[in-house]
Amino acid sequence: MTAPRTPRKAFGRLSLPERNHLADALRTETVGGVLLLVAAIAALVWVNIPALHDSYESVSHFHFGPSVLGLNLSVAHWAADGLLAVFFFVAGIELKRELVAGDLKDPKAAALPVVAALCGMAVPALVYTVTATAGGGSLAGWAGPPATAVPTATDIAFALAVLAVIGTSLPSALRAFLLTLAVVDDLFAILIIAVFFTDGLDFAALGGAVVGLVVFWLLLRGGVRGWYVYVPLGLVIWGLMYNSGIHATIAGVAMGLMLRCHTREGEEHSPGERIEHLVRPLSAGLAVPLFALFSAGVAVSGGALADVFTQPETLGVVLGLVVGKTLGIFGGTWLTSRFTRASLSDDLQWADVFAVATLAGIGFTVSLLIGELAFEGEGAMTDQVKAAVLTGSLIAAALATVLLKVRNAKYRGMVAEEERDDDLSGIPDIYEQDDPEYHLRVAAVYEKKAAEHRRIAEEMKSARLAEVTGGAGEEGDGPA
């Protein structure tokens, strides 16, 4: 007879290497997310102080760069097409690592975040479409299908910044789900950008970019090392991709996907992991905050905020982020678990998954980028869509804060258990339960503690005995 299969657990314990990678990635993304929040607030303050408004416009529209290469761009343009290429480069590495060494390597484990991400993009697009058409808005008049993609992407840095600000100790399995979800979101956002925002192809420039990518791949295969080789080559590829008519951020993700992300004999970390470790702080700490600074500058007033909820297009963005994203991710997760018979982890409830789905409604960086591309040439509408993205993200963050706070005490207990290290080995105990040496180390630790407690008990007994003996002697000196 064959032994019955143990049902797979959704949001179960991560492997130790995956947990360590997650901790490093989230540490950087959380710091970057706080900087992102600061940059967004700075942009809003800069634009909405009358004395400073003109200076914001002047800086944003200041052009520089070599005209002969077709790269005389505005500061805002450099931030969106240039700096975000670094962000998508890191996203490409992360996606490659997930595919070859992370959760997406196992098709069964990958099904959950992939289906959740797909539903988390399809449902917001549907909500946007229904809201816009029901309210009399014309999809064809507002950039067509690309507009429906505005509320589809999760901003992992912003979401983690919210977690850092509200002090929620989210268990590592839920954090890993959120990170993987955002990576898959980024992949589909890249596909949307590549398909819908490519116009007037320059085949000569595109051919040059492809040749550059082939050279990049051959150098990697040949084991050539040195930033002085890859950085100039990367800039050339980016410039050619920009001039080809395809959005330049595609060059970043293409180069990221080419890096080797599995280790070979004698390697502690793969080249992709090493480069990601070096570039991720640049992406999270500089590229994304600067993009936010020059993209989140929207004039805010009572009338402008009211317009967000009265115009069908902007209302569709808000509802897509708050309602569509939540229902799509939660529904996709529940359906996947049901049809794959993967039971929820014993320590979690479906309310926890719903809270994380709400948190995924924070769509900032990529949503702003798609909004700018979808409504290009419609200055007023672009600002209104940006205001809608900011409003929807703020509402999603507020709802997630309330939902996560309800279970915060439970989360703290789960995280403390995950971090417990009784044998002082530097590895959490939950990963050593099957190692006999672990139990011997724990026994030694408790034996040492027991010996210390016995010594203290003996000293206390001796002290009390001395007090009793001394007191009896003094009483014996008097008459009977």
Side-chain angles (χ1 to χ4, degrees), residues 14-38:
L14 304 177
S15 66
L16 184 58
E18 189 72 9
R19 175 188 177 278
N20 292 337
H21 174 79
L22 176 72
D24 290 339
L26 294 185
R27 192 177 300 112
T28 303
E29 291 290 357
T30 300
V31 173
V34 173
L35 294 176
L36 175 63
L37 284 175
V38 172

Side-chain angles (χ1 to χ4, degrees), residues 323-401:
V323 178
K325 201 73 177 171
T326 303
L327 294 181
I329 291 174
F330 179 79
T333 304
W334 185 83
L335 288 173
T336 305
S337 298
R338 183 173 180 83
F339 286 106
T340 60
R341 298 182 180 179
S343 60
L344 196 65
S345 177
D346 296 335
D347 295 323
L348 296 173
Q349 299 176 5
W350 282 109
D352 301 313
V353 181
F354 187 84
V356 172
T358 305
L359 190 64
I362 300 174
F364 192 80
T365 306
V366 180
S367 291
L368 287 176
L369 175 62
I370 294 177
E372 288 183 353
L373 296 173
F375 297 97
E376 189 174 8
E378 299 285 345
M381 193 63 192
T382 299
D383 284 347
Q384 290 169 358
V385 168
K386 287 182 180 180
V389 170
L390 293 172
T391 302
S393 297
L394 183 62
I395 294 173
L399 289 174
T401 299

Side-chain angles (χ1 to χ4, degrees), residues 101-154:
D103 287 343
L104 301 185
K105 181 180 180 180
D106 178 8
K108 291 183 179 179
L112 186 64
V114 170
V115 172
L118 284 171
C119 293
M121 298 189 79
V123 176
L126 179 62
V127 169
Y128 177 93
T129 302
V130 170
T131 305
T133 53
S138 172
L139 293 178
W142 295 113
T148 65
V150 175
T152 60
T154 297

